[in-house]
Amino acid sequence: MTSSEPNDRIDHLTRLAEDFFGERVTHVSTPGGTDRASIRVTLESRSVIATLRPNFRRTHLEAYILKILESECDCAPKFMGLRENVLFQSDLGGNRLNTAIWKAGQADRASIAFSAVEAILRIQKAANRVGLRDALPILGANDDWVENLVHAIDTMESISHGRSITLNRAELCQKIVTRPRSFVKWDCRSGNAAVSNSNSVKWFDFEYAGVRHGAEDLAWLIADEAWPINPEVMEKIILDCLPSEDRSAADTYLDYLWLYTSFHCIQRIKLIMKEVVKRGWLSKSRIRKFDDAGVHPEFAYNLCKVGEYAAYRNRETALLARDFADGQRFFLSIMRDGLAARGAIAAE
């Protein structure tokens, strides 16, 4: 992208917003940076989000989902219009979940985490009720996708004793395959939600939504490297939010949640290790501000801690839990080596 392209795109979105709403734009900001698909447009009477994605099909998918959800659920942005492949949606405010929960005290953190989980499940329930489960593409349904997820175990060899490379991968692939039973928003990282003054949570960015098990959305949140709530607390919150009348169903749900979370943690670690080679370690404040990949050793350590908890929950992944424990020591050693003091790891 050339230096003029972001400004050209912003000018284009500004003109479209003025034409669509019939009002003058008084201010434009780029909350996630100029390279992101969405910008905040302040008009004379309101503030809206204008979204122009590189793939117009994803924009139209998101618009379709928001239009259907708006009368069924208040946990997502309102659809405001679509013009020339630009989606206009309601502005949920600038208090992103990833920043809000980090700044909150312990009591408020628990309340916010509960609201985040509850909102995910409410969105899924509403989407399933109105038929989105039958209208959207099935995600992670082909063999290559499942095998890539499971075979990423190889990533752990570079930060551990590599015990998990001996796991029965064919068996694990069979366990990851699941009946498509629920709408999933996908990409439920904490940077993709906003928190109100009353600590209620609303989720945005639905361009990757589809259908799968359903627990994947919670795995995205639990295994968000910047998420400060430990997995034991998250499990209690999830149990409080799941229907209580069928405990065996909840146990089965949790079994799959922790299985999937184990492998999702590896995907995030793999991303961090790739990005640190390209960019070096980043500061935690920058990561939160721009909703960037958590390229900081403390965040990688957090992923290994979550991964250990998740992997121990299934007999088939117990060896993987031990590799996650090794990974914690690996990333702790990076922090203890004094790289932060020498500037190799940016401080907070």
Side-chain angles (χ1 to χ4, degrees):
M1 181 179 286
T2 65
S3 59
S4 63
E5 284 179 348
N7 289 332
D8 291 343
R9 186 174 64 87
I10 291 171
D11 289 344
H12 173 63
L13 294 175
T14 300
R15 289 193 297 271
L16 273 181
E18 289 183 330
D19 179 61
F20 185 83
F21 292 101
E23 298 179 25
R24 184 173 62 89
V25 170
T26 61
H27 183 68
V28 173
S29 61
T30 55
T34 57
D35 61 337
R36 294 298 178 94
S38 295
I39 67 170
R40 175 173 285 113
V41 178
T42 304
L43 298 150
E44 292 171 316
S45 68
R46 72 193 96 182
S47 176
V48 301
I49 300 298
T51 303
L52 175 61
R53 301 196 182 281
N55 185 332
F56 74 91
R57 292 180 180 85
R58 294 208 177 276
T59 305
H60 284 257
L61 175 67
E62 184 172 25
Y64 171 70
I65 292 168
L66 294 184
K67 277 194 289 186
I68 291 178
L69 281 181
E70 66 179 343
S71 63
E72 301 291 331
C73 179
D74 62 355
C75 301
K78 298 296 184 185
F79 171 80
M80 303 187 75
L82 190 63
R83 174 74 62 87
E84 295 183 22
N85 295 324
V86 174
L87 167 64
F88 294 107
Q89 55 188 299
S90 61
D91 185 358
L92 300 181
N95 192 23
R96 287 197 179 194
L97 174 59
N98 60 340
T99 302
I101 199 162
W102 174 68
K103 291 180 178 178
Q106 288 301 320
D108 280 341
R109 280 188 176 187
S111 171
I112 293 169
F114 182 93
S115 294
V117 171
E118 184 182 42
I120 288 172
L121 296 178
R122 287 181 62 198
I123 289 169
Q124 290 183 350
K125 185 176 180 180
N128 293 337
R129 184 172 62 246
V130 297
L132 283 174
R133 174 173 50 194
D134 303 316
L136 297 181
I138 298 171
L139 304 181
N142 63 69
D143 291 343
D144 286 345
W145 188 93
V146 173
E147 289 172 6
N148 285 336
L149 184 72
V150 171
H151 286 274
I153 288 172
D154 293 337
T155 300
M156 300 302 293
E157 194 171 6
S158 63
I159 62 171
S160 71
H161 285 91
R163 304 174 189 87
S164 54
I165 63 172
T166 64
L167 290 174
N168 187 331
R169 301 187 185 201
E171 181 183 8
L172 288 168
C173 285
Q174 290 176 356
K175 287 186 170 294
I176 287 293
V177 172
T178 180
R179 178 175 62 86
R181 46 179 265 180
S182 176
F183 171 91
V184 284
K185 175 196 173 291
W186 216 248
D187 199 7
C188 286
R189 293 174 299 111
S190 56
N192 289 333
V195 182
S196 72
N197 291 334
S198 62
N199 285 348
S200 66
V201 173
K202 296 187 179 185
W203 290 90
F204 54 85
D205 284 356
F206 284 75
E207 75 274 22
Y208 295 113
V211 182
R212 211 169 186 277
H213 180 279
E216 297 89 351
D217 280 347
L218 296 177
W220 273 95
L221 180 60
I222 296 167
D224 175 355
E225 56 270 19
W227 187 245
I229 310 299
N230 68 54
E232 296 92 340
V233 173
M234 289 301 294
E235 180 165 4
K236 292 176 183 176
I237 290 172
I238 291 166
L239 277 172
D240 285 342
C241 291
L242 289 174
S244 59
E245 60 271 12
D246 188 349
R247 177 64 201 212
S248 64
D251 288 342
T252 301
Y253 183 95
L254 288 174
D255 284 345
Y256 189 83
L257 168 65
W258 293 120
L259 176 69
Y260 189 87
T261 300
S262 302
F263 291 99
H264 191 74
C265 285
I266 296 175
Q267 291 296 319
R268 299 304 298 178
I269 292 168
K270 184 178 178 181
L271 174 64
I272 288 171
M273 294 175 70
K274 176 183 175 182
E275 290 297 311
V276 77
V277 171
K278 295 191 325 188
R279 299 191 283 168
W281 296 109
L282 306 177
S283 74
K284 291 184 287 184
S285 57
R286 183 198 186 284
I287 290 166
R288 292 189 184 101
K289 179 178 180 181
F290 294 106
D291 184 30
D292 207 341
V295 189
H296 189 285
E298 184 178 325
F299 287 159
Y301 168 85
N302 289 345
L303 280 172
C304 289
K305 192 172 181 180
V306 173
E308 181 186 16
Y309 181 89
Y312 266 132
R313 300 302 300 273
N314 284 278
R315 174 183 56 81
E316 296 83 0
T317 52
L319 280 178
L320 181 56
R322 295 173 66 186
D323 281 353
F324 277 124
D326 287 347
Q328 291 172 59
R329 289 186 284 272
F330 175 84
F331 290 112
L332 272 177
S333 70
I334 292 177
M335 290 185 276
R336 288 171 178 167
D337 279 346
L339 295 179
R342 300 205 300 269
I345 301 174
E348 180 66 41

